[in-house]
């Protein structure tokens, strides 16, 4: 039976594709306070602002491409049973060709009813006020905002608990519950953290190796090492 690899990715894996990470630029996200554009309160206050914000993100996503880090992860599937758990709302893992992807924080190329969460639609163009679901309520981005529950966290925890190898790439590990997944990996599993700014968080995590490198450098090297093993 193939060993199980679970990969938790964050904004850092898409940075070299040209998508800005969240933290760093003075706490602002493309010039906005996160609570204005990524919370139910922000949505209640100003739907136009929120829709425009995600329209820009969606349009930009359609102009960028997966990088060698997204691509290298696909190679692992030849020898391992691989699940990618991503906090990213982009579709770069899909476009690179990964087979099992769980989106913890939603997807930019989907929208959903603001009345009924189960009504989800593929969406590539701009979303505007007046765009409605089949039950007549305003459509909103299919994104998990701050203060909302994370519906995929339970399957993500179950999968993490079965990992033989757990790889974390490009996340500041500050947003919970996603950041806690590393602690669901069994103590005996081998763990790797690839991030150029990784801190020392990690003394408390057994079997963790920190690789301080950008994703496009660190991921292909780690994949090669795991494929040669
Ligand atoms: P952050 O912006 O918090 O962290 C990005 C991480 O990527 C940092 O640790 C950087 O050091 C690292 N990084 C930067 N460039 C890199 C590169 N070239 N290669 C590898 N790593 C690099 O992003 P997340 O941890 O993903 O939620 O943020 C978590 C969540 O907060 C997001 O999913 C988003 C946000 O609010 C929602 O949208 C719901």
């Amino acid at each position: 039976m193939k060993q199980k690899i679970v990969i938790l990715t964050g904004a850092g894996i898409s940075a070299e594709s040209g998508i800005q990470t969240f933290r760093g630029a003075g706490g602002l996200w493309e010039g906005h306070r996160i609570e204005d554009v990524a919370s139910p309160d922000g949505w209640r206050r100003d739907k136009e602002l929120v829709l425009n914000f995600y329209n820009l993100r969606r349009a930009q996503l359609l102009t960028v491409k997966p990088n060698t880090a997204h691509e290298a992860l696909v190679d692992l599937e030849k020898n391992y049973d691989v699940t990618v758990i991503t906090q990213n709302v982009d579709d770069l893992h899909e476009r690179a060709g990964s087979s099992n992807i769980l989106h913890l924080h939603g997807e930019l190329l989907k929208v959903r009813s603001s009345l009924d969460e189960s009504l989800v639609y593929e969406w590539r163009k701009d979303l505007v006020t007046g765009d409605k679901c089949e039950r007549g309520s305003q459509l909103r981005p299919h994104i998990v905002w701050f203060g909302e529950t994370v519906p995929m966290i339970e399957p993500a925890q179950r999968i993490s608990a079965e990992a033989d190898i757990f790889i974390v790439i490009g996340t500041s590990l500050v947003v919970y519950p996603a950041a806690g997944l590393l602690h669901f990996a069994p103590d005996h599993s081998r763990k790797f953290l690839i991030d150029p700014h990784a801190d020392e968080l990690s003394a408390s995590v057994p079997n963790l190796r920190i690789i301080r490198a950008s994703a496009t450098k660190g991921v292909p090297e780690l994949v090669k090492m795991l494929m040669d093993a």
Side-chain angles (χ1 to χ4, degrees):
M1 220 172 54
K2 287 180 172 174
Q3 285 199 307
K4 283 192 193 327
I5 298 189
V6 178
I7 303 159
L8 173 65
T9 64
I13 194 169
S14 297
E16 289 161 275
S17 288
I19 300 179
Q20 217 198 344
T21 59
F22 298 95
R23 289 167 187 83
L28 293 182
W29 183 11
E30 299 276 355
H32 294 282
R33 297 187 316 156
I34 287 186
E35 55 273 33
D36 287 339
V37 290
S39 76
D41 266 355
W43 174 243
R44 267 189 295 276
R45 272 199 304 273
D46 192 343
K47 292 190 174 41
E48 298 275 343
L49 176 78
V50 174
L51 290 174
N52 285 337
F53 178 77
Y54 286 101
N55 286 342
L56 287 172
R57 306 279 77 72
R58 192 179 307 107
Q60 192 218 0
L61 174 56
L62 297 174
T63 70
V64 304
K65 292 208 275 290
N67 62 50
T68 51
H70 300 99
E71 284 160 4
L73 294 179
V74 183
D75 294 341
L76 289 172
E77 296 185 15
K78 290 184 204 131
N79 292 7
Y80 295 92
D81 174 356
V82 180
T83 304
V84 176
I85 301 174
T86 187
Q87 298 167 83
N88 298 342
V89 298
D90 65 51
D91 66 340
L92 297 182
H93 287 300
E94 280 87 349
R95 278 195 256 158
S98 283
S99 311
N100 298 316
I101 306 161
L102 190 153
H103 280 273
L104 275 181
H105 291 161
E107 292 173 70
L108 201 44
L109 298 181
K110 292 184 179 168
V111 299
R112 70 164 184 261
S113 162
S114 42
L115 187 73
D116 177 351
E117 286 193 4
S118 70
L119 296 176
V120 177
Y121 308 86
E122 308 274 337
W123 203 270
R124 299 175 82 81
K125 56 187 182 180
D126 282 355
L127 181 65
V128 297
T129 48
D131 284 330
K132 305 233 166 96
C133 75
E134 66 218 48
R135 294 182 58 191
S137 81
Q138 174 66 41
L139 290 168
R140 55 163 276 182
H142 185 49
I143 305 281
V144 176
W145 285 327
F146 284 93
E148 296 186 316
T149 54
V150 180
M152 297 308 279
I153 195 66
E154 281 182 21
Q157 289 168 342
R158 264 200 308 280
I159 292 162
S160 300
E162 293 173 354
D164 298 299
I165 301 173
F166 195 97
I167 305 172
V168 181
I169 306 165
T171 168
S172 56
L173 291 173
V174 297
V175 173
Y176 281 81
L181 287 174
L182 182 57
H183 299 279
F184 279 80
D187 284 356
H188 61 77
S189 61
R190 292 158 72 199
K191 303 172 192 78
F192 300 90
L193 168 60
I194 300 176
D195 191 308
H197 307 113
D199 62 21
E200 297 301 336
L201 94 130
S202 331
S204 59
V205 180
N207 290 326
L208 178 70
R209 192 174 131 205
I210 297 184
I211 301 167
R212 283 195 185 77
S214 69
T216 60
K217 180 162 188 301
V219 176
E221 282 176 14
L222 176 61
V223 167
K224 181 167 185 321
M225 194 269 277
L226 292 171
M227 294 300 283
D228 290 345

